[in-house]
Structure formats: structure tokens, C-alpha cells
Amino acid sequence: MIDRRAELGHWIGRLETILISRGVLREDGELAIQVGSQLPKDIEDALDGFIENPIELVGLLKICRDARDGRPLSPAVLMAAHLMTREVLQALQDSEAVGDFRS
């Protein structure tokens, strides 16, 4: 059986690293952009259809951190976060691999 909490714990670290490197998150894990603003164009393009704005991203990050830290989550929320995080992380990694992210 898949240990979704353990996978989310691993994935959130990678996701935060990517978002920090792209200037979306600060080193302390907080948003580096305004909540009401748009995501940077390269991130927005990579996450098209998954995450539409910083508020949705903050929500996903919070759920993943809660899972990693062992806080209670319903099985449905845990499963949805697991699926969404996998897709978001894959989209960001795919964009990096094909050179969509510019340094």
C-alpha cells in the first residue's frame, strides 16, 4: 500500500525547492509574490489546468505540509493532495526538462 504521507513529505520538499528557485517562495516557505497577484508566466504556463493562482498554490502547500507533519487529514483530502501534488510536481519538472524555465 502507498504511504501517501511519506510521498507527500518527499514531494513537498522538491516542490518547495523548485518554487524557491523560480522566485515564487521565499527561503522560509512563504509566498514571495502577493496572494492576489498572478503567478510568474513560466510557472503559470507549466501549471495551466492544475493551479490557477497563488491562493490555490498556498492551499496545496498547506495541505502537503500538514500531511508531512502528521496533522490529521481526511483520507479524501490526503488522496486529492497526493494526486494534485504529483501532477504539479511532474508538470514543473517536465517544464524544467524541456527548458521552459529560464534562469
Side-chain angles (χ1 to χ4, degrees):
M1 182 167 188
I2 298 172
D3 184 348
R4 287 186 173 85
R5 281 185 186 271
E7 282 191 334
L8 279 173
H10 174 73
W11 293 344
I12 187 65
R14 179 66 184 131
L15 183 56
E16 287 173 329
T17 299
I18 291 170
L19 294 173
I20 288 168
S21 75
R22 300 308 311 151
V24 176
L25 291 181
R26 297 187 312 239
E27 289 291 329
D28 64 2
E30 297 297 318
L31 276 181
I33 58 177
Q34 294 290 329
V35 171
S37 67
Q38 293 293 107
L39 293 167
K41 183 71 171 138
D42 54 350
I43 299 289
E44 186 177 308
D45 289 347
L47 299 181
D48 187 37
F50 295 112
I51 300 287
E52 299 298 324
N53 57 60
I55 294 170
E56 292 178 5
L57 182 60
V58 166
L60 180 62
L61 292 171
K62 181 184 180 328
I63 292 168
C64 290
R65 290 170 181 155
D66 285 350
R68 174 194 63 200
D69 297 342
R71 292 189 183 95
L73 294 170
S74 74
V77 168
L78 187 60
M79 185 175 288
H82 185 266
L83 176 63
M84 178 64 93
T85 304
R86 182 181 64 213
E87 296 298 324
V88 165
L89 188 55
Q90 187 64 54
L92 289 172
Q93 289 173 333
D94 288 350
S95 291
E96 286 181 321
V98 296
D100 286 351
F101 284 79
R102 293 164 282 288
S103 299

